[in-house]
């Protein structure tokens, strides 16, 4: 059994985004699976984990590891569009895409992650009390570090995909960087980091993938 996770925290995304992702996963993951949302509120019709002390913003992705200590797990951001089979993304070893961002941060992308077994030590080692307000870090700076969110923390802890403890995840594309000339054949998941979001673009493949009558390629 595979557990597929998303995180809904704050007002940037809505319940509808959770439903859209769940439906895409159901069409694109052939393995037997459950869909769960790690959330700050309940969502009708969705299995949710609602922690009493949810960490702010993207830091909640790290907290998720403490709640998923067994079995195969797959995490996807809510602004993901699934365009191919998810089966090959599953991994016992923690897996994540190599960071494609042109900001120079390097490391890994946490928009999609897969793991098997107990990686709870990632959450156990994070001290949420070290988060302090900083205008350059939307959800707080972690201690004296300059980590750019959970991705920076994970990269510092685990190393770059393929060079440390993380297996590179294939098939995850950036809409901004990889889809300017159309959908690449190798893509399985397209990530809409920043703007625009999927609802703001007119690409037919985006509309089709998010449609309840999606035709699988």
């Amino acid at each position: 059994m595979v557990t597929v996770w998303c995180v809904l925290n704050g007002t940037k995304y809505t319940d509808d985004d959770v439903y859209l992702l769940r439906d895409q996963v159901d069409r694109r993951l052939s393995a037997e699976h459950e869909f769960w949302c790690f959330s700050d509120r309940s969502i009708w019709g969705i299995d949710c984990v609602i922690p009493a002390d949810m960490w702010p913003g993207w830091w909640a992705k790290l907290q998720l590891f403490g709640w998923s200590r067994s079995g195969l797990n797959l995490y996807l951001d809510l602004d993901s569009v699934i365009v191919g089979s998810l089966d090959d993304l599953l991994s016992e070893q923690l897996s994540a895409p190599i960071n494609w961002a042109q900001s120079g941060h390097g490391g890994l992308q946490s928009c999609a992650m897969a793991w098997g077994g107990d990686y709870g030590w990632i959450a156990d080692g994070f001290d949420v009390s070290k988060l302090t307000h900083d205008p350059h870090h939307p959800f707080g700076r972690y201690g004296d570090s300059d980590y750019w969110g959970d991705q920076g923390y994970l990269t510092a802890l685990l190393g770059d995909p393929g060079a440390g403890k993380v297996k590179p995840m294939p098939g995850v594309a950036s809409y901004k960087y990889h889809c300017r000339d159309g959908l690449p054949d190798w893509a399985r998941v397209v990530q809409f980091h920043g703007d625009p979001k999927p609802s703001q673009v007119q690409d037919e493949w985006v509309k089709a993938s998010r449609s309840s009558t999606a035709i699988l390629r």
Side-chain angles (χ1 to χ4, degrees):
M1 174 70 74
V2 179
T3 305
V4 182
W5 297 92
C6 64
V7 171
L8 179 64
N9 191 9
T11 60
K12 184 176 181 180
Y13 299 99
T14 69
D15 294 4
D16 285 344
D17 293 307
V18 177
Y19 296 135
L20 279 166
L21 183 62
R22 178 200 59 187
D23 292 348
Q24 292 179 81
V25 169
D26 286 346
R27 291 193 293 266
R28 297 293 195 171
L29 182 59
S30 65
E32 186 178 1
H33 64 276
E34 299 176 335
F35 184 90
W36 284 77
C37 186
F38 192 72
S39 180
D40 58 3
R41 56 191 180 272
S42 61
I43 305 168
W44 186 87
I46 298 290
D47 291 322
C48 293
V49 170
I50 307 174
D53 57 345
M54 193 164 190
W55 298 348
W58 47 46
W59 300 109
K61 293 185 192 180
L62 301 177
Q63 192 177 13
L64 175 59
F65 285 105
W67 288 81
S68 52
R69 295 176 180 262
S70 63
L72 278 175
N73 296 273
L74 175 65
Y75 168 82
L76 295 167
D77 273 359
L78 285 171
D79 50 9
S80 302
V81 173
I82 304 174
V83 296
S85 172
L86 295 174
D87 295 355
D88 291 342
L89 274 60
L90 302 176
S91 175
E92 286 282 352
Q93 181 182 356
L94 181 63
S95 177
I98 297 170
N99 192 6
W100 54 68
Q102 297 177 357
S103 56
H105 292 298
L108 60 80
Q109 277 280 350
S110 64
C111 60
M113 296 183 287
W115 66 96
D118 189 354
Y119 278 85
W121 53 271
I122 293 175
D124 295 342
F126 186 83
D127 185 354
V128 70
S129 69
K130 291 184 178 180
L131 291 177
T132 58
H133 175 73
D134 186 306
H136 303 293
H137 295 74
F139 300 110
R141 176 190 289 268
Y142 188 70
D144 296 329
S145 73
D146 198 32
Y147 299 148
W148 190 249
D150 61 292
Q151 294 184 166
Y153 180 85
L154 287 169
T155 299
L157 184 67
L158 302 169
D160 292 343
K165 300 177 181 179
V166 182
K167 176 182 174 182
M169 179 181 283
V172 182
S174 159
Y175 180 78
K176 287 182 179 179
Y177 302 140
H178 303 130
C179 301
R180 292 174 178 172
D181 298 320
L183 180 64
D185 290 340
W186 53 266
R188 299 294 176 266
V189 176
V190 177
Q191 172 61 24
F192 283 72
H193 51 102
D195 292 316
K197 294 303 182 189
S199 61
Q200 298 171 320
V201 303
Q202 300 302 314
D203 306 62
E204 289 302 324
W205 60 267
V206 176
K207 295 179 182 179
S209 296
R210 287 160 52 89
S211 168
S212 60
T213 58
I215 299 175
L216 303 188
R217 69 182 180 120

